[in-house]
Amino acid sequence: MNRSANRPPSGPLTLASSVAGAVVVALDGTILTIAQPTLQRDLDASFAQVQWTTTGYLIAVAALLVFAGRLGDRYGHRRLFGLGMLGFGATSAGIALAPGIGWVIALRVAQGVFGALLQPATLGMLRAAYPPDRLRTPLAVRTAAIGVAAAAGPVLGGALVTELGWRSVFLLHVVPALLFGLLALAARNPEPPRTAVRLDLPGALLLALALAALVHALAALSESAGAGPAAPGLTVAAVAGAAFVRRERRAASPLLPARVVGSAAIGSALGMLVTASAALHGALFICVYLLQDTFGLDPLQTALRSLPLALLMIAAAPVSAVLLRRAGARRTTTAAALVLAAGIAVLSAASGTISLCAGFALVGAGFGTVMVAATHVVVRHAPVESAGVAGGLQQTALNLGPVLGVATATLLAELGSLRTPLPVLAAVAALGALLGGALPGRAGTKGTKGAEGSTGTHVTTGPERRAARR
């Protein structure tokens, strides 16, 4: 009767699918960066056009992640994951065959749509397949795989572009995306019962507009290093965001359920993901220029100096699972945020190989731990019937953070020097330690029973009771 006490038979395949989806998306981002200069030359494109191959994708993803998670809550995460993976693979093949830069940009936007479908589902499937007290290890495996992709991406991308051209990096995604997409759609294991979730389309449109405008404004800010081009986008984002909040307060079935957005633990964890990813990506963006322009290193030497970041991120994932069990989320994430801040501080003063490698190692250990622990809180504390929304919020945080971090780093570097942004980004990372105070301690890891039911799979308490009260 208590099926959630044991991992269901679909657990290993679910974990493999979740890892595959996360790795495909992570590789896509790291490899594209390496391929962009060659793509620009081959297609005779402008720098702005090449930037839109990234910006268009980010806008589509950020706009749709939460709504895609809600679709998964209603129609099944495995189904959304399968459709997302198939679409991601198909658009990757299309980009590899694209005759011009216009086609590449359009297909990258379409790829962002499918990426938005699959990303929340990678977490929603895990939440449905594993009981809350056994989520740490699957999430650690997923994070370690992302770390491997981050380490292998630049090397693999450089080799493919050098030997086979930029089109080959997109063909790399096709087979795994199609394979796991078909497996997900063909799987016969029944998914947990779904509640009749109503889709708040007006709310979804307002949130999509707000997030898309915000990402576009931040991208414009980082490209121009001035607030002028970003002002219209920020205005639209603010107006749409205010309209969305008003809509959510009045909607009978809001896009963001109160049990998710009203949770102090989930809000704190999402804030930590934003600050940690902003600090990490802003620091990496600056360090690339610092190592090559100031220290005179070539790209390969730069990659080797930063390799400890990926290695420690991989190593931190299994350690995080142990720390969560023994110390609780609050202590784990607070300490990890401080380690991340310390790593960026070391990089800001680094002058040689040893100090650079030490700084990158601290950054990798801190960020890897924050990612596992904060994601664990988001996924575990969300009700099963809203796991997709929680996954969408987690992915939105991890997409907004890097754009915010790069925009901040660019603006500060323009106002000062290449080292100017690093102390500020270290302070941003340290802010996560303050946010971690709202996370549950060790005793709080048992506090989700009320939301999940005694077995961790009960999905009919929240909406029905709220509906009855209405």
Side-chain angles (χ1 to χ4, degrees):
M1 183 175 180
N2 187 8
R3 293 183 60 193
S4 69
N6 298 303
R7 186 172 59 188
S10 62
L13 178 58
T14 299
L15 178 57
S17 298
S18 178
V19 168
V23 167
V24 163
V25 172
L27 274 177
D28 177 78
T30 55
I31 288 181
L32 178 62
T33 302
I34 301 296
Q36 281 180 331
T38 306
L39 182 154
Q40 180 179 0
R41 290 192 298 269
D42 286 356
L43 297 182
D44 194 24
S46 66
F47 180 76
Q49 288 174 320
V50 172
Q51 286 298 104
W52 265 98
T53 63
T54 297
T55 303
Y57 175 89
L58 288 175
I59 289 175
V61 168
L64 297 175
L65 277 171
V66 176
F67 183 61
R70 201 55 166 163
L71 288 175
D73 290 332
R74 178 168 183 173
Y75 297 109
H77 301 298
R78 189 175 63 226
R79 182 179 301 174
L80 267 290
F81 174 82
L83 292 175
M85 286 291 270
L86 291 177
F88 200 93
T91 50
S92 293
I95 294 170
L97 301 173
I101 188 63
W103 280 98
V104 173
I105 294 172
L107 287 168
R108 281 289 289 171
V109 173
Q111 194 175 50
V113 173
F114 290 112
L117 291 180
L118 75 91
Q119 288 184 62
T122 63
L123 293 174
M125 291 190 302
L126 290 181
R127 180 64 178 86
Y130 290 86
D133 60 349
R134 298 184 66 180
L135 274 170
R136 303 181 194 93
T137 299
L139 291 174
V141 171
R142 182 178 179 274
T143 300
I146 293 173
V148 172
V155 178
L156 181 60
L160 286 173
V161 172
T162 300
E163 298 297 327
L164 302 174
W166 67 268
R167 298 178 187 273
S168 63
V169 303
F170 290 100
L171 292 174
L172 182 68
H173 309 314
V174 174
V175 173
L178 296 182
L179 173 63
F180 279 94
L182 291 172
L183 285 174
L185 294 179
R188 297 298 180 184
N189 301 83
E191 291 194 89
R194 301 280 161 188
T195 56
V197 177
R198 293 178 59 186
L199 297 178
D200 180 17
L201 294 179
L205 289 173
L206 286 171
L207 181 60
L209 178 60
L211 291 173
L214 178 60
V215 171
H216 183 269
L218 292 174
L221 183 64
S222 63
E223 290 170 12
S224 64
L234 292 175
T235 302
V236 172
V239 173
F244 172 72
V245 171
R246 182 177 182 181
R247 166 73 190 181
E248 288 292 281
R249 289 177 175 174
R250 298 183 176 186
S253 297
L255 179 65
L256 301 179
R259 293 175 69 190
V260 176
V261 296
S263 168
I266 292 177
S268 175
L270 291 173
M272 293 195 76
L273 289 171
V274 171
T275 56
S277 59
L280 170 74
H281 288 273
L284 287 179
F285 176 78
I286 287 298
C287 283
V288 168
Y289 287 96
L290 188 65
L291 293 180
Q292 295 186 24
D293 293 351
T294 303
F295 291 174
L297 302 180
D298 61 32
L300 178 59
Q301 292 171 327
T302 299
L304 291 175
R305 300 297 193 284
S306 63
L307 190 59
L309 187 154
L311 295 178
L312 266 293
M313 182 176 169
I314 297 168
V319 175
S320 301
V322 176
L323 291 175
L324 278 170
R325 184 173 64 251
R326 296 184 178 180
R330 185 188 307 143
R331 292 181 179 178
T332 300
T333 53
T334 299
L338 293 176
V339 170
L340 173 59
I344 297 175
V346 170
L347 291 175
S348 70
S351 59
T353 299
I354 294 178
S355 55
L356 286 170
C357 290
F360 281 123
L362 290 172
V363 168
F367 181 78
T369 304
V370 168
M371 187 168 174
V372 173
T375 299
H376 177 264
V377 171
V378 173
V379 176
R380 176 179 178 134
H381 284 258
V384 176
E385 69 269 21
S386 298
V389 169
L393 288 171
Q394 187 264 1
Q395 292 293 320
T396 300
L398 289 177
N399 277 273
L400 287 178
V403 181
L404 178 62
V406 171
T408 302
T410 302
L411 184 60
L412 291 174
E414 186 72 16
L415 295 175
S417 66
L418 280 177
R419 290 186 183 270
T420 301
L422 292 174
V424 176
L425 293 168
V428 171
L431 176 62
L434 298 177
L435 295 174
L439 296 181
R442 185 179 178 186
T445 57
K446 298 180 181 180
T448 57
K449 279 189 176 182
E452 297 157 4
S454 60
T455 66
T457 59
H458 185 56
V459 297
T460 59
T461 56
E464 286 83 348
R465 288 183 180 178
R466 289 196 299 274
R469 286 198 297 268
R470 287 196 295 268

